[in-house]
Amino acid sequence: MEDCMVTDNRVGISGHGTSTTILLSRNTIVNNDEGLQRFNGASLVSFGDNKLGLNTSDGASFNGFIAPR
């Protein structure tokens, strides 16, 4: 997921299940009830250039970071 504005939702980004990996780059995730959510082994991986804030709760953390090339 790249270059998106995710705002005014109950959950901004959600991943479910061990086969789920969501790669995030240059997204703005703000003003949601919960910014990030992951269940049952899902992975949320950031390229380190996302903006996360002003959510009621930022929720889950990123599983890891990938250096852009």
Side-chain angles (χ1 to χ4, degrees), residues 41-54:
S43 293
L44 302 176
V45 181
S46 173
F47 281 88
D49 52 3
N50 298 287
K51 296 175 183 135
L52 177 68
L54 300 176

Side-chain angles (χ1 to χ4, degrees), residues 12-66:
I13 306 291
S14 183
H16 300 271
T18 56
S19 62
T20 302
T21 299
I22 301 172
L23 299 174
L24 298 157
S25 179
R26 295 189 314 259
N27 298 291
T28 301
I29 306 161
V30 296
N31 293 326
N32 300 288
D33 291 340
E34 187 171 1
L36 301 173
Q37 185 181 77
R38 55 186 163 88
F39 294 104
N40 301 321
S43 293
L44 302 176
V45 181
S46 173
F47 281 88
D49 52 3
N50 298 287
K51 296 175 183 135
L52 177 68
L54 300 176
N55 300 294
T56 303
S57 166
D58 287 337
S61 59
F62 292 108
N63 291 81
F65 296 91
I66 298 173

